[in-house]
Amino acid sequence: MFEKIFFVGMRYRVVTLLILLLITVLTSLGLPELRVDTGLASLVSGHDPHKADYDKITAEFGSDLQTVIYLHDAKLWTPERLATLESLHYALKELPFVERLEDVFTLQVIAGKDGAVAAHILLKEAPDSIEAAQKAKQEALYNPLIKGNFVSSDGKSTAIILSIHPDPHDPDFDHHAYVALEQLISAYQPQFDELFQMGAPRLHAELKTILFHDMRFLAPLSASVLMLVVVFFLRSGTAAVLPLITSLLSLIWTFGIMGWWGVPLNILSVMLPSLVIVMGSTESTHMITSYFQGLIRHNHGEDKAQTVASATRYMMLHMAVPTVLTVATTALGFASNILNNIGLIQDFAVASTLAISFNGIITLLFVPLILQTFGPGFDTRHNSQRYRISQMFTHLFQVIKERFYYLFLFAIVLLCAFFIQQASRIHVSNDPMSYLQPSHPLIKDNETIHRHLSGMKIFFITLEATREKAFLDPKYIDRMVEIQSFINSQGVFDRSTSLADYLALTNRELHDGNPEYYVVPRTRDLVAQYLMFFHRTVLEPYVSHDYRRANIIVRHNISDSDTLNRHIEELREAAQNIAGVDVHVLVNGENLMVNAATEDLLWAQIESLLILLLVIALLMSIMFTSLKGGLVALVPNLIPITLMFGMMGLMDISLNPGTVMVAVVAIGIAIDGTIHLFSRYNTLTRKASDYDSAVLHTVREESTPMVVTSLALALGFAILIFSDFTLVAQFGALAAATVLFALFSNLIITPMIMARVRLVSLHQILSLPLNISKLATSPLFQGLSHYEIRKAILIFESVHYHQGDVLMKRGETGCSMFMVLSGEVEVVCHTVGDHPLTNTLSEGSIFGEIGYTRELPRTVNARALKDVEVLIFNYRRMKRDLQFFPQIVAKLNFNISRILGERLADVVQRMKGCGKPPSD
Amino acid sequence: MITILLLSAMLIGASEVQAGADSADWSGHKIILTSLQKHQYYPYVFEQQTMILMDQHGHRDVRSVRRFSRLDEDGTARFVLVFDYPEEVSGVSLLVEQQPEQVRSSQIYLPAFGKRLIRSDSSRASQYFMGSDFSLRQIMPEKIEDYHYQRGKDLSIQKTPYFRLTALPLNALIARNDGYAKRELLLRQDNLCMVRVDYFNHRGRLFKRLSAHDLQQINGPMWRANMLLMEDFERHHKTLIKIENRVFSRDYVPRYIFTAKWLMGNHKITQINRLLQQGTGKN
């Protein structure tokens, strides 16, 4: 069944090619539907308990997502500059998406002097004299709600704050809004020292620009690096080109399906082309390496077609199952991120799982198709490079194993302990601003704003009282004041504003600006009467229409999720304590939810890792028909992950939506190496009498493709360091390092473990091409099920003899017994005079059983009448395998004992009759 | 210089003048002037109003207000607004005086603040007052000679013909004090009743609209609106003033009401109710 599936690409080349092309055309129709999502919503956990409250709060008090038009000018408060600013104000107001605009032309001020009070808009229009402009400046700087929020302390910078209403029918709204704003302000830029926009449209537009730039830049770079690595190590143009074709097809399929399904491209998708090119190439490289091995083993001389066909068949026989398994585990690594509640990661998990799976399918169909059609008929590679790599790792492994085994183990344990300790320092971050490099203009502009004005990040502290009109009562308003004092004492947030500030300001101004009166008025009536100075829209962000809910607006510029989450948690607790039992406090904001998603990131990481490890252990247990084998196979994969987490702690790299995926992706990749090694080891142990030599051979044969693929992977990942996204660059650096850790672990630690376990692959058991029914009649297999017989055959050494080969020679010493698995063996016995007695043994027959008990000279000759496959049993190996397969070996031992016992009884019987010694 | 004062409440109250066939040639100035001249002007008006403030979410704040206005023989216009509801603002008053020489003063009385009047900066007439969408300018008498009234193309809405006028401030200072660049007025041709005023900012953008509803003919030729709606399109906010009771009587607006003493007396609604029950000038 397996063969039928795996050999489709070889056997039905035209049909396969047509099907591949048809799917490519069909999926490409979905490409125009593909959309890009760089919005913040995808960073918020779908399970965030504050989301419903957030929607309610923003509906009532307005959005916390604001766009700032920042301008700086040394001569800001002059009629000319203010006239230009007014012109900009009106031009911005004209933009259809601007819902609300706050600046010096809309802000309400209240000022009292000599028993008179003036409550008015700071600047109804641009002043016509320098005196009027300076008066407005003084009024602005006098007002504590404007100074620092809208106008810098030196009066040279100001902000126009826009609330933007996105067009729900425009999927590219942010980009359009950014462009419209940019076009508008660019006309005004020459007239001010500094003028720029900052906010969600710009952030999204910049992210999108970087996304496309990265995709255009990183994918070709990855492809070039891959080609260079493959050509350098394998000396094969085919090996370099094939992965590029499979990657291209995989990406078309993936993006097309994403288009149909509505899964958007996001900032993590930047990695997709590079990932597919690099990771997809590993399977192709393994397959092509195997193809070249096939060329050597099945060389049909001049018949190139036959040679190519044999080599392709050899490749598929040896590589199909490992390829399916490695693709499955890698895809599983990516798929496990679907469990994450963060939309950004979920979408990327879907995209990457599709891409890796498609690449696996395409590789299994396309690579044999191409090799069978265009594959070289001889090994074109210069083998010295390959030989050197093999030699180097084999030697290294031998030296460590023989001389420094315990020291090495101790060093590994020590290293892991150190890195585990370092890993405890990892902090989690999910701030969108931290996705960009510190040198990015947007980050610089954000710093500029923060130097002069309060941070543009906002969150709300909403107090909900059970009593109607509670927030007209000074007792309740005092609690807000206390919460604001606590915020100040925390020392991390820039500023908080509430109804209390407006009331205190009004109180001060109605007392001729006496600062002693900058306090909340003491009676409910006075509070209500003071509030009549303000238009309802001024109070709207701070208090509900029924005065049951009040809102404190907090501005900050914290980009570190850890710091923010810690202080928010502290604030939540303190605010609730201050507010009392009759007031419910909510601390909410989109940037809080985005940062709070870090907890989800962390748990999702743990969950994904555990599930992945469990599934891989299960998969490996099934694959190698041993639970112990499944668990053992995980050990070399846990070491690189430990080192990776340790490195994150050591280098202060945060766990973010990019780095959170490294562990699962790295396990998915690292397990590939383990699967390849175990598969090869299985094959080789069947052909070798000594496990240690099988291990050495495994390292020798697998080191080259593993080094090549790991280097290609590491370099491919390292390319991502050039991304303008910090999280992508960090992902690339960590993944590259982890792949190298995994290579080291797989080539040094996996062989050490392999030598201490004996595994049999399920695929080998099921595909064993022997007449098991006939073998089951053998006395050696009595009491064993067909499955156990198959497994027993695979446990022990099997040797192939050609017709005429001598299996055993009289007089030679030997310590093994034989069982014929296929073919016929002629046994010649010289016991009666000089007339030889011949016997023809077929499947299931055993001979040489005396040698099993003790090393004795053989008394018979044995020769292959046809090509023969024999199974060899010897005591030492049986003794060793008893610990790995106790049930089967015990049964076999029981059967051997019975055979030997019967033989002994037979000999004793015969000795009684003729006094001859026993023979083999 | 002829000064004709037009109280805001009378903005939509004009004499029942059937514009004749010759009105086709009337200038904008003549239309507004005729409207005012024909208007049966009552110098003493008392109103009991309900002021409803509506935000963009449809939330409503309701206030009960008494309004006293009188035009004295010396040309001084005075009015007092006294808030009766909600309870917390009961007694809050606004006193505005405008003399013929343009000297205008406004004072606020906050009972909870203490027995004193707070002078309000009268130079900023365009500011919103008492949390409503009306500015002081929009509730104050207006000098029609400060504006140039351009007649636009007549309009017919649901078969009712309207005059359309554009009122432009004559100079920048007036425009600055008003807080808008121009107004578009819509007057019914059958009774010269002003039913809509659109306010445009300096960029020519419509930002506010005052409309009159529930028009009622009073005492023969004069019409009054029982509902005034001011819509602020920039702030997405509305103020509806509903006239619950209106009395045209000198007795209801005695001179002493427009004094600090009376305001600080903090007269409760019950007193006026009694007056109203005895009154004779109800609509």
Side-chain angles (χ1 to χ4, degrees):
Chain A
M1 184 188 76
F2 285 119
E3 280 198 15
K4 277 184 186 169
I5 296 169
F6 295 145
F7 284 70
V8 164
M10 279 176 63
R11 287 178 185 161
Y12 312 103
R13 282 179 281 171
V14 177
V15 176
T16 306
L17 189 65
L18 285 175
I19 289 172
L20 287 176
L21 288 174
L22 184 68
I23 295 173
T24 308
V25 170
L26 285 176
T27 49
S28 67
L29 295 176
L31 292 176
E33 307 293 323
L34 190 61
R35 63 187 177 87
V36 179
D37 179 15
T38 52
L40 296 183
S42 66
L43 297 173
V44 176
S45 167
H47 294 171
D48 195 309
H50 302 293
K51 183 76 173 71
D53 290 330
Y54 170 77
D55 291 339
K56 207 173 103 186
I57 290 166
T58 50
E60 181 155 38
F61 296 112
S63 173
D64 57 338
L65 298 176
Q66 297 179 334
T67 287
V68 173
I69 308 295
Y70 171 86
L71 62 92
H72 177 89
D73 198 291
K75 294 177 181 171
L76 180 63
W77 298 92
T78 57
E80 298 77 28
R81 293 291 191 279
L82 290 173
T84 313
L85 182 60
E86 186 189 25
S87 170
L88 175 61
H89 163 96
Y90 281 111
L92 287 167
K93 252 186 168 177
E94 294 302 312
L95 293 172
F97 50 81
V98 173
E99 195 175 57
R100 185 185 165 111
L101 183 154
E102 287 179 287
D103 66 359
V104 292
F105 294 100
T106 64
L107 293 169
Q108 188 171 333
V109 291
I110 183 163
K113 198 176 177 186
D114 303 330
V117 68
H120 60 91
I121 304 295
L122 178 62
L123 280 170
K124 190 72 186 170
E125 60 186 8
D128 50 9
S129 66
I130 188 75
E131 292 75 24
Q134 287 301 314
K135 189 183 170 202
K137 178 186 176 183
Q138 283 164 11
E139 279 187 300
L141 294 180
Y142 176 67
N143 190 311
L145 303 179
I146 295 177
K147 185 181 170 185
N149 273 336
F150 290 90
V151 177
S152 63
S153 310
D154 61 2
K156 290 177 184 172
S157 303
T158 189
I160 304 173
I161 296 180
L162 309 176
S163 293
I164 285 177
H165 179 68
D167 178 358
H169 306 297
D170 183 359
D172 211 13
F173 171 78
D174 279 326
H175 181 71
H176 292 147
Y178 167 72
V179 170
L181 285 169
E182 205 57 29
Q183 275 175 353
L184 197 153
I185 63 173
S186 62
Y188 291 86
Q189 271 163 344
Q191 296 167 67
F192 295 102
D193 294 344
E194 206 170 2
L195 175 66
F196 58 79
Q197 63 165 306
M198 174 64 66
R202 180 175 171 188
L203 179 64
H204 299 167
E206 298 268 18
L207 290 177
K208 199 178 274 188
T209 307
I210 297 171
L211 188 147
F212 286 122
H213 170 265
D214 271 10
M215 273 187 149
R216 280 197 299 269
F217 171 66
L218 295 177
L221 204 58
S222 298
S224 309
V225 166
L226 169 76
M227 287 181 78
L228 282 174
V229 171
V230 173
V231 168
F232 179 77
F233 284 107
L234 297 184
R235 299 286 195 268
S236 164
T238 314
V241 171
L242 270 178
L244 295 186
I245 298 170
T246 56
S247 303
L248 183 69
L249 293 180
S250 319
L251 286 172
I252 293 172
W253 289 22
T254 306
F255 288 147
I257 298 277
M258 283 167 71
W260 290 126
W261 285 359
V263 178
L265 276 179
N266 58 37
I267 53 174
L268 294 177
S269 311
V270 162
M271 299 187 266
L272 213 52
S274 299
L275 282 181
V276 173
I277 290 169
V278 172
M279 294 176 73
S281 73
T282 59
E283 308 311 338
S284 301
T285 308
H286 277 291
M287 287 177 80
I288 292 164
T289 308
S290 177
Y291 172 81
F292 285 131
Q293 285 169 358
L295 285 178
I296 296 164
R297 292 182 189 210
H298 300 278
N299 194 339
H300 294 271
E302 294 299 308
D303 190 352
K304 185 196 165 188
Q306 183 62 32
T307 305
V308 166
S310 299
T312 311
R313 188 179 163 74
Y314 174 87
M315 172 188 82
M316 290 311 285
L317 276 174
H318 287 84
M319 295 310 300
V321 172
T323 301
V324 168
L325 277 169
T326 53
V327 167
T329 49
T330 309
L332 201 66
F334 281 107
S336 60
N337 287 307
I338 292 172
L339 296 171
N340 202 302
N341 292 325
I342 297 169
L344 178 85
I345 295 175
Q346 274 177 346
D347 289 341
F348 179 69
V350 171
S352 52
T353 307
L354 283 177
I356 294 298
S357 307
F358 287 154
N359 195 271
I361 294 167
I362 293 168
T363 302
L364 280 170
L365 293 173
F366 191 69
V367 171
L369 184 156
I370 292 295
L371 286 176
Q372 175 120 3
T373 313
F374 304 109
F378 54 92
D379 190 351
T380 52
R381 298 166 301 160
H382 186 263
N383 283 331
S384 63
Q385 196 71 36
R386 180 172 168 245
Y387 179 74
R388 269 202 295 274
I389 295 170
S390 300
Q391 281 299 103
M392 191 178 80
F393 276 96
T394 312
H395 180 68
L396 182 67
F397 172 68
Q398 267 183 310
V399 168
I400 292 172
K401 187 171 175 289
E402 287 165 14
R403 295 190 198 168
F404 308 108
Y405 183 74
Y406 290 106
L407 187 68
F408 180 75
L409 276 185
F410 179 69
I412 289 290
V413 170
L414 210 63
L415 195 69
C416 286
F418 172 72
F419 274 74
I420 286 170
Q421 189 267 329
Q422 290 299 317
S424 64
R425 294 171 50 191
I426 293 175
H427 61 278
V428 193
S429 181
N430 191 31
D431 190 281
M433 297 286 262
S434 69
Y435 298 170
L436 298 173
Q437 303 283 5
S439 58
H440 194 279
L442 188 137
I443 303 294
K444 295 274 181 204
D445 285 348
N446 185 53
E447 285 168 5
T448 303
I449 292 180
H450 192 234
R451 260 199 311 278
H452 298 105
L453 300 168
S454 302
M456 57 173 287
K457 292 173 188 166
I458 288 175
F459 68 84
F460 299 142
I461 304 173
T462 309
L463 292 87
E464 186 167 17
T466 48
R467 263 184 57 197
E468 198 181 343
K469 292 189 176 180
F471 289 97
L472 284 177
D473 190 334
K475 278 193 301 186
Y476 284 83
I477 299 167
D478 284 345
R479 298 180 198 178
M480 287 201 283
V481 175
E482 207 178 325
I483 291 170
Q484 287 181 265
S485 299
F486 179 79
I487 291 169
N488 288 340
S489 71
Q490 285 185 296
V492 289
F493 303 113
D494 291 347
R495 178 184 286 255
S496 66
T497 312
S498 77
L499 184 68
D501 295 293
Y502 280 85
L503 289 167
L505 177 65
T506 310
N507 198 35
R508 183 184 80 177
E509 295 313 307
L510 284 170
H511 288 90
D512 294 336
N514 186 344
E516 285 180 16
Y517 286 91
Y518 194 80
V519 289
V520 174
R522 299 321 309 160
T523 69
R524 179 190 181 86
D525 286 359
L526 194 53
V527 167
Q529 290 168 24
Y530 276 179
L531 291 178
M532 293 185 84
F533 284 101
F534 300 96
H535 190 267
R536 173 70 199 139
T537 49
V538 175
L539 302 176
E540 215 167 50
Y542 303 102
V543 69
S544 66
H545 74 288
D546 57 1
Y547 292 89
R548 193 192 288 266
R549 290 171 296 282
N551 196 34
I552 303 172
I553 299 176
V554 186
R555 301 172 80 99
H556 70 97
N557 194 43
I558 302 170
S559 294
D560 171 31
S561 301
D562 235 18
T563 308
L564 185 64
N565 291 345
R566 203 171 55 247
H567 286 94
I568 289 296
E569 213 41 59
E570 189 183 59
L571 178 58
R572 276 201 177 108
E573 198 182 327
Q576 188 58 69
N577 285 338
I578 294 166
V581 287
D582 56 340
V583 175
H584 178 54
V585 178
L586 292 167
V587 181
N588 219 324
E590 185 164 91
N591 84 82
L592 295 194
M593 288 193 290
V594 167
N595 283 283
T598 51
E599 207 162 295
D600 275 0
L601 272 182
L602 196 63
W603 283 111
Q605 166 82 317
I606 293 168
E607 203 177 33
S608 301
L609 261 176
L610 288 177
I611 289 174
L612 185 65
L613 289 173
L614 190 74
V615 172
I616 285 180
L618 210 65
L619 211 64
M620 296 293 275
S621 301
I622 294 168
M623 183 188 169
F624 294 114
T625 61
S626 157
L627 185 62
K628 186 180 161 191
L631 294 174
V632 161
L634 285 183
V635 175
N637 296 290
L638 289 175
I639 292 169
I641 304 306
T642 309
L643 299 186
M644 186 273 291
F645 280 126
M647 206 168 77
M648 283 177 74
L650 200 64
M651 297 175 72
D652 198 30
I653 296 173
S654 62
L655 198 66
N656 58 38
T659 55
V660 79
M661 293 186 302
V662 177
V664 284
V665 172
I667 283 191
I669 295 168
I671 200 77
D672 292 1
T674 314
I675 291 171
H676 282 292
L677 282 168
F678 274 43
S679 297
R680 177 66 65 192
Y681 175 64
N682 264 330
T683 310
L684 291 173
T685 43
R686 286 197 64 215
K687 308 290 177 193
S689 54
D690 176 13
Y691 287 172
D692 288 343
S693 69
V695 169
L696 271 182
H697 273 92
T698 304
V699 173
R700 194 169 294 142
E701 286 196 17
E702 284 300 315
S703 56
T704 303
M706 282 181 69
V707 168
V708 172
T709 53
S710 296
L711 272 181
L713 274 172
L715 285 170
F717 281 129
I719 290 300
L720 298 176
I721 293 169
F722 295 109
S723 170
D724 280 339
F725 290 125
T726 312
L727 78 173
V728 172
Q730 288 174 341
F731 172 90
L734 284 174
T738 312
V739 165
L740 295 179
F741 292 152
L743 174 69
F744 159 80
S745 178
N746 266 327
L747 283 182
I748 304 296
I749 296 166
T750 307
M752 286 183 175
I753 295 169
M754 278 194 318
R756 278 158 179 76
V757 291
R758 180 72 180 89
L759 304 171
V760 176
S761 137
L762 183 66
H763 170 248
Q764 286 174 316
I765 294 170
L766 297 178
S767 61
L768 201 64
L770 294 171
N771 187 349
I772 301 298
S773 300
K774 190 159 185 194
L775 290 173
T777 59
S778 168
L780 191 61
F781 288 149
Q782 271 185 24
L784 273 77
S785 66
H786 281 206
Y787 174 80
E788 285 173 322
I789 293 168
R790 284 172 179 274
K791 197 164 179 177
I793 293 167
L794 291 165
I795 291 167
F796 297 102
E797 182 186 355
S798 74
V799 181
H800 183 86
Y801 292 96
H802 292 289
Q803 187 179 1
D805 285 352
V806 174
L807 281 74
M808 193 186 287
K809 211 168 183 178
R810 190 180 173 193
E812 281 181 355
T813 53
C815 59
S816 305
M817 64 180 272
F818 300 83
M819 177 184 190
V820 181
L821 289 176
S822 64
E824 286 180 353
V825 174
E826 182 191 59
V827 177
V828 182
C829 178
H830 301 270
T831 55
V832 184
D834 283 334
H835 298 288
L837 289 175
T838 58
N839 194 8
T840 302
L841 303 176
S842 62
E843 289 154 307
S845 305
I846 52 173
F847 60 98
E849 56 266 47
I850 292 300
Y852 181 76
T853 56
R854 188 153 42 120
E855 203 165 326
L856 289 170
R858 301 290 186 185
T859 57
V860 296
N861 289 319
R863 184 173 62 90
L865 289 176
K866 298 175 181 173
D867 278 6
V868 170
E869 187 86 19
V870 292
L871 206 57
I872 301 172
F873 300 89
N874 68 57
Y875 178 74
R876 277 204 306 274
R877 182 153 173 167
M878 286 285 269
K879 190 181 171 186
R880 189 169 170 182
D881 285 339
L882 184 65
Q883 58 180 311
F884 301 132
F885 309 100
Q887 206 172 352
I888 291 175
V889 175
K891 282 184 182 177
L892 286 172
N893 263 329
F894 178 77
N895 289 341
I896 290 170
S897 305
R898 198 174 56 194
I899 291 166
L900 290 175
E902 279 176 10
R903 182 58 61 91
L904 184 64
D906 185 41
V907 168
V908 168
Q909 194 65 38
R910 280 162 59 189
M911 281 176 70
K912 276 183 185 171
C914 60
K916 296 285 179 188
S919 68
D920 282 328
Chain B
M1 188 166 61
I2 299 168
T3 302
I4 298 175
L5 297 173
L6 178 65
L7 292 176
S8 66
M10 296 170 75
L11 187 72
I12 41 73
S15 58
E16 190 186 51
V17 176
Q18 193 71 39
D22 59 337
S23 67
D25 300 327
W26 288 7
S27 68
H29 192 263
K30 186 169 181 182
I31 291 170
I32 193 81
L33 196 62
T34 309
S35 167
L36 297 173
Q37 280 172 346
K38 298 291 182 184
H39 183 67
Q40 296 293 309
Y41 181 65
Y42 288 97
Y44 310 107
V45 185
F46 166 78
E47 285 175 345
Q48 192 174 27
Q49 304 175 343
T50 299
M51 185 187 281
I52 303 165
L53 310 178
M54 287 175 282
D55 68 15
Q56 57 183 326
H57 307 295
H59 298 133
R60 294 165 186 221
D61 286 336
V62 179
R63 295 169 179 181
S64 290
V65 183
R66 281 171 288 155
R67 175 186 165 124
F68 306 82
S69 59
R70 64 180 284 149
L71 180 65
D72 286 330
E73 291 76 9
D74 64 353
T76 303
R78 294 182 175 86
F79 82 88
V80 164
L81 278 182
V82 181
F83 289 82
D84 294 314
Y85 180 86
E87 201 181 334
E88 299 85 11
V89 298
S90 175
V92 170
S93 312
L94 173 70
L95 167 64
V96 183
E97 278 186 16
Q98 179 155 324
Q99 290 163 357
E101 296 80 23
Q102 289 218 50
V103 178
R104 185 170 54 226
S105 68
S106 58
Q107 296 179 92
I108 299 163
Y109 172 61
L110 303 177
F113 186 63
K115 297 269 181 191
R116 68 181 175 106
L117 292 183
I118 302 157
R119 275 185 293 115
S120 178
D121 185 352
S122 57
S123 68
R124 304 204 187 246
S126 61
Q127 70 193 47
Y128 291 82
F129 91 98
M130 300 311 225
S132 78
D133 292 292
F134 288 87
S135 70
L136 208 55
R137 168 67 72 199
Q138 286 154 350
I139 59 165
M140 286 297 293
E142 173 188 342
K143 293 197 305 178
I144 63 168
E145 68 268 29
D146 279 356
Y147 301 93
H148 174 59
Y149 296 92
Q150 284 178 347
R151 182 174 173 183
K153 196 178 174 185
D154 291 350
L155 204 64
S156 180
I157 303 170
Q158 292 177 335
K159 295 182 182 174
T160 305
Y162 291 88
F163 289 122
R164 191 161 57 175
L165 307 182
T166 303
L168 297 162
L170 285 181
N171 58 52
L173 184 67
I174 296 168
R176 183 181 298 272
N177 285 337
D178 284 353
Y180 41 79
K182 68 168 185 179
R183 287 173 295 155
E184 272 189 12
L185 320 173
L186 216 58
L187 294 90
R188 261 170 59 169
Q189 290 190 2
D190 58 350
N191 57 9
L192 289 178
C193 206
M194 203 178 295
V195 292
R196 198 173 83 187
V197 183
D198 286 342
Y199 297 86
F200 294 84
N201 65 18
H202 299 279
R203 313 286 293 188
R205 182 166 158 166
L206 173 69
F207 72 102
K208 275 172 98 171
R209 171 173 287 165
L210 172 66
S211 54
H213 306 270
D214 190 15
L215 295 171
Q216 201 174 8
Q217 196 167 13
I218 300 163
N219 293 339
M222 190 174 71
W223 289 70
R224 290 281 172 151
N226 286 331
M227 270 201 286
L228 294 172
L229 177 67
M230 179 66 89
E231 296 168 89
D232 189 324
F233 301 119
E234 287 185 341
R235 297 184 181 223
H236 308 288
H237 201 268
K238 295 174 189 171
T239 300
L240 177 73
I241 293 177
K242 188 165 180 275
I243 314 298
E244 305 290 354
N245 281 297
R246 182 185 287 125
V247 182
F248 297 97
S249 166
R250 178 194 288 264
D251 298 339
Y252 278 77
V253 286
R255 183 71 181 78
Y256 67 80
I257 281 181
F258 302 90
T259 62
K261 187 180 175 188
W262 186 86
L263 294 178
M264 289 190 279
N266 205 14
H267 297 271
K268 296 293 179 185
I269 187 70
T270 47
Q271 285 179 277
I272 195 68
N273 274 345
R274 199 165 48 245
L275 279 171
L276 281 170
Q277 282 161 12
Q278 293 167 358
T280 54
K282 278 186 179 180
N283 285 332

